[in-house]
Amino acid sequence: MACAGLTSADTYPAPLAFSDVENLETGVFPSAVVIADVDLNGWSDIVVSCRDEGAVQLFLNNGNAVFLAPVSLPCGGAPRIPAVSDVNGDGWPDVVVPDWQVGADRIALILSDGAGGFLASEYLATNAGSRPRAVALADLNGDGDEDLVVANNGADDLTIFENDGTGSFAPVLTIPVGNAPGSLSIADFDNDGLRDIAVTSRLERTTTFVRNLGNNAFEIVATADVGVGPRDEVVADVNGDGRLDVVVSSGTDNTNSGFTVVLNLGAFSMRELAFHEIGHIAHGIDARDFDGDGDRDVLIVNVGSNSAYVMRNNGNGTFAFSPHFLSTGAGLTSPAYCAVGELDGEGGPDIVTANIATNDIGVFRNLTPLPPHGDIDLDGVVGAADLAELIGAWGSPDLLADLDGDGVVTASDLADLIGRWGAQSPK
């Protein structure tokens, strides 16, 4: 039966609870991690770039966060931050990985074979000396195909590649940005229906915002100061105003490390809200509602330690300095990157860390007593009222209706809600 009278105010935020870490061995130097259902079996898998192995490894989820032995896909000399999406329109997710090796100047395209496996890597050349470090995929020109944006760490610029719909990419524009761009996001920051770009430059303490003008035209419209040694970024509406913000991790030592919240005030007016110091070298970052109160909390991992922190959002884009501590393993594991997604079918956002010192990933199952995934109105059951809420939020970054966490309410969220119809809160 439904939990009558359940509301977010009197039930959430719930006390955070996670399983002990399960460490799964990877190749050498797991430098980035992504969660996605790459074999379309209904369970989210883990994609790991192993920088010094020259390969991406797939940890396929056999159900309930039970992972098969990793499958290695060679993809160049030094794979870094990957992206997963269907780039050739066959309905199957593909993997796109930058090769950071000096002189390689290329992107690996690892296409699905249409049966749950993958073909050998094809390579897309980038400019000489570009040394690409991060990629992101989204439809930038409204033709329905996933276009490609590349952060060129060696050339201090971005390159935008247009997809012809078959997975063949052609460069259309190169945009100079700050020194050593190292992380990248695509999102609609001005709510005009076009996907814009945010890129953080590791040696210039800035995040640069690039507006999409349509018809493959772009312009730099804003920059934000995000602290010394910025490392990673995540896009999320952290203050619930319907505009997407950016949170950036940064740090060079244990006394000057944490994350900066860059609030989106509208029309690309960006304001650095606060720097939250955490006392370790902050590196990878993600954001999700971990405690069920309807706002985005921050997950941050600390390289040079064995720790990850969940920082609770106060609801206004500020964060309580009482982080929930997660141990990523025994001894010095040095978690460098992290990813969040549902791995065990229980509805809560689970966590994966990429641990470069111990060559493994750490998997944390979320045990927090949360409303069922899809319970947008927080009444304890997924049903018609939630469907109405989702339709009313269509096309927006609504925190509760954006079930897949991609920053906008679309058909994938509708499919997710329908698949969970009738689910109830834990008693």
Side-chain angles (χ1 to χ4, degrees):
M1 57 184 291
C3 300
L6 184 69
T7 68
S8 71
D10 60 23
T11 308
Y12 305 107
L16 288 172
F18 289 87
S19 68
D20 291 337
V21 65
E22 178 186 6
N23 293 109
L24 304 175
E25 184 178 352
T26 67
V28 181
F29 206 96
S31 59
V33 59
V34 173
I35 294 175
D37 182 6
V38 298
D39 59 358
L40 298 185
N41 71 342
W43 296 93
S44 293
D45 311 301
I46 302 172
V47 182
V48 184
S49 285
C50 298
R51 191 193 71 181
D52 295 348
E53 191 90 1
V56 162
Q57 290 189 319
L58 307 180
F59 288 79
L60 298 178
N61 190 342
N62 202 35
N64 300 305
V66 175
F67 295 93
L68 303 178
V71 176
S72 290
L73 304 174
C75 57
R80 292 308 299 256
I81 304 171
V84 177
S85 192
D86 177 14
V87 300
N88 60 355
D90 66 352
W92 288 84
D94 309 299
V95 182
V96 180
V97 193
D99 186 351
W100 197 55
Q101 185 173 27
V102 174
D105 300 327
R106 61 184 182 175
I107 306 295
L109 307 176
I110 310 174
L111 301 180
S112 170
D113 65 4
F118 288 86
L119 304 174
S121 293
E122 303 173 7
Y123 293 96
L124 172 67
T126 58
N127 293 331
S130 57
R131 205 180 181 198
R133 194 177 189 278
V135 296
L137 293 160
D139 180 9
L140 297 175
N141 56 10
D143 63 358
D145 305 317
E146 295 286 271
D147 305 305
L148 173 65
V149 182
V150 181
N152 297 312
N153 190 247
D156 302 337
D157 59 31
L158 299 177
T159 302
I160 297 172
F161 292 84
E162 183 177 11
N163 186 349
D164 69 359
T166 68
S168 179
F169 293 91
V172 296
L173 187 64
T174 295
I175 304 171
V177 292
N179 191 359
S183 59
L184 176 67
S185 302
I186 299 176
D188 183 4
F189 291 107
D190 55 356
N191 292 338
D192 66 350
L194 300 173
R195 300 290 183 93
D196 312 297
I197 302 167
V199 57
T200 296
S201 299
R202 295 167 68 87
L203 299 181
E204 198 160 314
R205 61 180 296 163
T206 59
T207 295
T208 300
F209 293 88
V210 182
R211 184 183 182 190
N212 187 345
L213 302 175
N215 299 313
N216 290 329
F218 296 81
E219 66 174 355
I220 294 175
V221 291
T223 59
D225 185 335
V226 292
V228 177
R231 302 290 176 171
D232 196 14
E233 67 181 56
V234 63
V235 173
D237 179 7
V238 296
N239 62 348
D241 65 355
R243 293 186 289 262
L244 291 172
D245 312 299
V246 178
V247 186
V248 181
S249 62
S250 63
T252 56
D253 56 49
N254 286 343
T255 60
N256 186 28
S257 180
F259 63 94
T260 299
V261 177
V262 181
L263 279 187
N264 182 354
L265 304 181
F268 282 104
S269 175
M270 301 292 180
R271 178 166 66 91
E272 301 90 343
L273 179 63
F275 177 76
H276 296 265
E277 189 169 339
I278 62 171
H280 291 282
I281 304 176
H283 213 281
I285 194 167
D286 211 328
R288 204 64 58 89
D289 182 10
F290 291 104
D291 56 11
D293 63 355
D295 50 41
R296 292 289 195 264
D297 309 302
V298 166
L299 166 70
I300 195 160
V301 296
N302 306 303
V303 74
S305 73
N306 70 332
S307 65
Y309 290 155
V310 177
M311 309 288 291
R312 289 180 185 260
N313 191 336
N314 293 322
N316 59 359
T318 66
F319 294 83
F321 189 74
S322 53
H324 185 88
F325 172 84
L326 299 172
S327 173
T328 55
L332 178 64
T333 58
S334 284
Y337 279 91
C338 57
V340 177
E342 186 185 349
L343 298 174
D344 59 4
E346 296 297 321
D350 305 306
I351 292 171
V352 179
T353 64
N355 305 321
I356 58 176
T358 45
N359 295 325
D360 60 34
I361 55 174
V363 179
F364 299 86
R365 294 178 57 209
N366 192 335
L367 306 179
T368 307
L370 296 171
H373 197 60
D375 181 19
I376 299 169
D377 65 355
L378 299 176
D379 69 348
V381 62
V382 179
D386 304 298
L387 177 60
E389 292 272 0
L390 187 145
I391 292 172
W394 199 267
S396 78
D398 184 273
L399 291 174
L400 289 172
D402 179 22
L403 301 179
D404 62 5
D406 68 351
V408 62
V409 180
T410 62
S412 64
D413 303 299
L414 175 60
D416 196 346
L417 185 144
I418 292 172
R420 300 174 188 278
W421 199 268
Q424 299 180 17
S425 289
K427 307 298 187 292

